[in-house]
Amino acid sequence: FYVGLDLGQRHDPTAIAVAEKTTNHIRVRHLERVPLGTPYPAVVERVREIVWNGQLVRNCALALDGTGVGAPVVDMLRAARLGCDIAAVTITSGERQHQKGSVWSVPKRDLIAGVQLLLERGELKLAKGLRELGPLMRELTDVRATAGISGRVRLGADGCGEHDDLVIALALACWRAKRGTIGFGA
């Protein structure tokens, strides 16, 4: 199982996605938005509840947005001894993925393209009854590439009235599922 965690707090919700990798598919088993304003220690506790439940116990890997305020949360998650492999991902506007120590830098474009490719190939399956399925579908249709004055392309739901937190959480879970266990501290 692969868990994606997109951190937010005051303006954007934190989102959690759990995906199961099977032989031919990645099946989304859980989607959740944590309420706005939830303190990070409570987010860590919620992640602990998820990864210590049922089939996920010592059978999962976590990829989380380590961009900005994510670094201290990465430390808190590692200290929580979740029993799963943890990879911090700095989401960039760069051209290539790279790794420095225990942190991956991954272009947002690559994360979103990974989800799009899985959808196009019919390899991404969504479990029936996901509470956040409607919001995820809206986010997927709201994600846009927009070019700024400098010519730099930005990806996100900016200006569409929606967030992209569920898409990013799902993208992180899918990114991690495609790589398997990376081996950075549980």
Side-chain angles (χ1 to χ4, degrees), residues 31-151:
L31 286 172
E32 174 180 342
R33 275 192 173 130
V34 178
L36 282 174
T38 300
Y40 292 125
V43 170
V44 170
E45 188 52 40
R46 180 63 188 130
V47 171
R48 181 196 323 263
E49 290 170 4
I50 290 170
V51 302
W52 280 95
N53 188 6
Q55 295 177 306
L56 274 74
V57 176
R58 300 203 178 279
N59 188 30
C60 64
L62 169 68
L64 74 141
D65 177 6
T67 311
V69 359
V73 180
V74 171
D75 292 342
M76 290 186 335
L77 286 161
R78 287 196 172 122
R81 302 192 188 284
L82 301 175
C84 63
D85 193 58
I86 298 171
V89 176
T90 299
I91 300 173
T92 72
S93 60
E95 295 295 316
R96 282 192 255 208
Q97 294 185 39
H98 64 277
Q99 173 190 2
K100 187 174 185 180
S102 63
V103 177
W104 284 82
S105 293
V106 180
K108 189 173 188 178
R109 170 199 70 203
D110 290 359
L111 290 172
I112 292 174
V115 172
Q116 288 174 326
L117 188 59
L118 289 168
L119 285 167
E120 288 171 9
R121 291 180 175 170
E123 295 172 8
L124 185 64
K125 303 295 182 183
L126 303 168
K128 292 180 182 175
L130 291 172
R131 184 178 44 161
E132 298 290 345
L133 185 57
L136 173 66
M137 299 310 286
R138 279 191 301 280
E139 285 185 20
L140 285 167
T141 59
D142 284 346
V143 170
R144 304 268 189 276
T146 54
I149 296 170
S150 67

